[in-house]
Amino acid sequence: MTLIEHVRELRNRLFKACLGIVVGLAVGIYFAEPIQNFINAPYCDFKLEHAGPGALCQFNSTSPVDPFLLQLKIGLYAGLILAAPIWLYQLWAFVAPGLHKHERKYTYMFTAIAVPLFAAGAFLAFFVVSKTLEFFLKLSPNYEVNVDLTGYFDFVTGVMMLFGFGFEFPLVLLMLNVAGVLTGKRMLGWWRVAIFLMFLFAAIVTPTPDPFGMTALAGAMAVLYFIVVGISLLNDKRRQRGRAKYLDTADDETSSLDDYDTDSITPGERIDAVAPVTSAESLERRYDDMT
């Protein structure tokens, strides 16, 4: 395909993806109120539990249009999630023709792992927020705390996204190992630095100063990290066995350029279908390229 044909295909893919998102937005707006009630549940449960009979769960709004804009924001987020199969397929259909067969296989695998990992991180974030919010509200029993409607939603969803992305960190390391950039032995040697960085990240993104939320996130990331290290060590052993087997086979089949009578070759004539490989380093590079 020419460059213009690629641009036209990209335009068509983007149009179909945006159309799917618009349909998802309409469905998301319809279900925006139940989604908002689910997000507001930790705050409302605390207020109704500690307030008198007939109390309502009320939020503060600085503008009359804030509730409407929040409904649109919730609908957009829900639409992106609902339309994910459509726009992900359009992205994949545009990229896949340029990938090798083994690269497509790894892409399927990483996508299948990334989605539940992100969902697990978001669920953990919602659990942490529901517990730590009660801790904050109990610190000021003599004051009437008015929580901003938009600020509360942005706070909860922001923490959920940060936790979700934090759970993707071990998957990034696994991708680097599969690509041959990072070995399991090296990751195992970095475990102290990795644990420190995990706790530092958890201390920054958790919403409370207490150690419980931070420990929950950092501990989950540490468990995933060591699981990835174990998988990487097994993958490195598999790669070494495959490389050794390939070198043994290729060493028996290859020959030197001296075996060919280069003086009798006319211009434009092929020596062989494939030029012989004469060094172990060349054989290893060829094996790495194939895998």
Side-chain angles (χ1 to χ4, degrees):
M1 296 175 63
T2 63
L3 177 61
I4 299 300
E5 289 173 336
H6 278 295
V7 172
R8 289 175 180 171
E9 183 189 6
L10 178 61
R11 179 195 61 186
N12 294 333
R13 299 289 182 190
L14 288 175
F15 175 77
K16 294 177 182 178
C18 292
L19 186 62
I21 293 175
V22 170
V23 175
L25 172 63
V27 178
I29 291 177
Y30 181 79
F31 292 100
E33 186 174 352
I35 296 174
Q36 184 177 357
N37 292 335
F38 175 77
I39 297 295
N40 295 343
Y43 173 74
C44 291
D45 291 344
F46 176 84
K47 293 290 291 183
L48 297 178
E49 180 182 353
H50 294 81
L56 299 176
C57 178
Q58 295 179 337
F59 288 86
N60 183 40
S61 179
T62 58
S63 173
V65 299
D66 281 348
F68 174 73
L69 294 178
L70 181 59
Q71 295 285 310
L72 292 180
K73 182 184 292 186
I74 295 174
L76 178 60
Y77 289 167
L80 288 171
I81 296 174
L82 293 174
I86 299 176
W87 57 264
L88 283 175
Y89 170 77
Q90 297 300 326
L91 175 64
W92 175 250
F94 181 75
V95 175
L99 301 178
H100 296 291
K101 183 178 180 180
H102 66 281
E103 292 173 337
R104 298 182 188 181
K105 179 183 68 175
Y106 291 141
T107 303
Y108 292 139
M109 180 183 66
F110 289 131
T111 303
I113 298 174
V115 173
L117 278 180
F118 187 90
F123 175 79
L124 178 62
F126 188 78
F127 176 78
V128 170
V129 168
S130 63
K131 298 303 180 183
T132 55
L133 187 65
E134 182 178 354
F135 168 80
F136 272 124
L137 294 176
K138 284 183 177 180
L139 290 178
S140 53
N142 299 325
Y143 299 93
E144 181 66 25
V145 179
N146 294 320
V147 179
D148 181 67
L149 178 65
T150 305
Y152 173 81
F153 179 82
D154 292 341
F155 166 73
V156 175
T157 54
V159 174
M160 292 174 68
M161 291 185 65
L162 287 172
F163 273 53
F165 287 129
F167 270 50
E168 301 294 336
F169 170 70
L171 184 60
V172 174
L173 297 179
L174 182 60
M175 293 175 62
L176 293 176
N177 176 260
V178 171
V181 178
L182 195 60
T183 63
K185 185 177 180 180
R186 179 170 297 180
M187 283 190 285
L188 185 60
W190 291 348
W191 73 270
R192 294 180 179 84
V193 178
I195 295 297
F196 171 76
L197 293 177
M198 291 173 194
F199 273 90
L200 179 62
F201 173 79
I204 294 173
V205 302
T206 46
T208 59
D210 65 272
F212 303 108
M214 177 186 70
T215 304
L217 175 58
M221 291 178 63
V223 171
L224 292 174
Y225 177 80
F226 284 109
I227 291 176
V228 168
V229 169
I231 296 175
S232 300
L233 290 173
L234 294 176
N235 185 54
D236 292 340
K237 290 182 179 179
R238 179 195 61 81
R239 184 183 288 122
Q240 289 295 334
R241 288 195 300 266
R243 180 182 288 112
K245 183 178 180 181
Y246 175 79
L247 292 177
D248 291 340
T249 305
D251 196 38
D252 294 336
E253 296 178 353
T254 56
S255 59
S256 173
L257 279 174
D258 296 335
D259 295 339
Y260 298 104
D261 185 10
T262 55
D263 295 334
S264 62
I265 298 176
T266 60
E269 184 180 358
R270 295 173 56 194
I271 296 178
D272 199 350
V274 179
V277 182
T278 58
S279 67
E281 292 183 0
S282 300
L283 289 174
E284 291 183 358
R285 285 197 299 270
R286 178 185 292 182
Y287 177 80
D288 292 337
D289 292 339
M290 290 190 302
T291 56

